[in-house]
């Protein structure tokens, strides 16, 4: 069973900056995401479950244009306090906010060009993940990108053993593994709504992570509406 929102909040309020120590298995996958998500061309980034703000500060310092805006939300006040310190040098364009844990993204339609979430979908229920992915589709601009990283199931022997053990521990007592379990991101990305631009599985210290970048596919009605809006601005 996945953690309830209140259990997730309590866990991450206590876990706090220990989250950064997970970099030993996360960093290679995060590096792969950054290498393929073209953050240099982004104007607005939204991050769901920003944690300590480690990725945000890396993006703001090294990858985003100086004019790009960033908004991160998290269910844990401890995480938001830590993230606030990390993004405060960029306070004119970067903001973090405490959320109630719901899947709604507090942004208008078509308003950001990157929706990022790393090592968060693996602790959400399938229903919540579907809802978050659909919210991402709503807020992304037509050329925007959904940028995800998550624990996944491994292919090599070591990765299969590690992800199998991880899943077993999750089933026994989810808080031991922070409520996270290996999932397959691609299974939440319907080809009707998304075009997958990049997908990779990276294993670091035996722990496999899936990196997935997808852009929204517009239906005919949305194409017409965006065309109309574009013409109205000319
Ligand atoms: C495993 S940590 C990952 C943090 C960060 N994204 C990273 O890669 O280091 C999961 C994060 O998701 C947050 N989280 C869990 N459930 C959430 C929800 N329903 N809404 C927003 N944040 C949530 C937790 O508080 C925690 O900061």
């Amino acid at each position: 069973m996945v953690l309830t929102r209140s259990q997730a909040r309590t866990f991450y309020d206590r876990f706090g900056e220990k989250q950064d120590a997970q970099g030993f298995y996360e960093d290679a996958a995060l590096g792969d995401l950054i290498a393929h998500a073209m953050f240099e061309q982004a104007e607005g980034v939204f991050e769901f479950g920003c944690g300590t703000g480690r990725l945000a500060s890396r993006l703001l310092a090294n990858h985003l244009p100086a004019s790009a805006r960033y908004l991160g939300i998290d269910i844990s006040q401890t995480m938001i306090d830590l993230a606030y310190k990390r993004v405060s040098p960029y306070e004119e364009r970067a903001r973090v906010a405490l959320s109630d844990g719901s899947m709604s993204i507090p942004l208008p339609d078509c308003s950001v060009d990157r929706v990022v979430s790393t090592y968060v979908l693996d602790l959400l229920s399938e229903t919540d993940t579907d809802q978050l992915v659909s919210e991402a589709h709503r807020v992304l601009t037509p050329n925007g990108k959904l940028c995800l990283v998550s624990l996944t199931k491994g292919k090599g022997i070591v990765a299969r053993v590690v992800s199998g053990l991880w899943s077993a521990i999750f089933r026994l007592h989810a808080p031991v593994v922070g409520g996270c379990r290996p999932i397959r991101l691609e299974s939440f990305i319907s080809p009707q709504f998304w075009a997958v631009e990049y997908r990779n599985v990276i294993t670091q210290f035996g722990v496999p992570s899936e990196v997935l970048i997808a852009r929204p596919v517009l239906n005919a009605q949305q194409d017409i509406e965006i065309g109309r809006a574009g013409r109205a601005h000319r």
Side-chain angles (χ1 to χ4, degrees), residues 121-175:
L121 271 56
D122 44 30
L123 61 85
L124 301 179
S125 69
E126 293 187 359
T127 310
D128 277 356
T129 302
D130 283 338
Q131 205 182 328
L132 181 64
V133 168
S134 137
E135 271 289 271
H137 196 281
R138 178 184 68 76
V139 299
L140 275 170
T141 56
N143 292 321
K145 294 179 196 299
L146 174 62
C147 304
L148 303 174
V149 181
S150 145
L151 289 173
T152 197
K153 291 186 180 145
K155 287 234 166 79
I157 292 182
V158 177
R160 276 217 307 266
V161 169
V162 171
S163 56
L165 269 175
W166 194 304
S167 300
I169 297 170
F170 172 82
R171 281 193 296 271
L172 282 174
H173 191 57

Side-chain angles (χ1 to χ4, degrees), residues 72-113:
I73 65 169
D74 201 285
I75 196 174
S76 151
Q77 183 65 57
T78 307
M79 291 303 194
I80 287 298
D81 293 344
L82 292 164
Y84 178 76
K85 283 190 205 139
R86 282 232 166 95
V87 305
S88 57
Y90 312 92
E91 66 185 350
E92 277 166 24
R93 56 199 185 92
R95 213 160 53 81
V96 290
L98 183 66
S99 81
D100 61 3
S102 77
M103 299 300 119
S104 10
I105 298 182
L107 291 172
D109 297 359
C110 294
S111 58
V112 280
D113 48 21

Side-chain angles (χ1 to χ4, degrees), residues 35-49:
H36 292 90
M38 293 191 254
F39 284 107
E40 292 72 17
Q41 295 172 17
E43 289 170 17
V45 177
F46 171 76
E47 183 175 9
F48 184 87

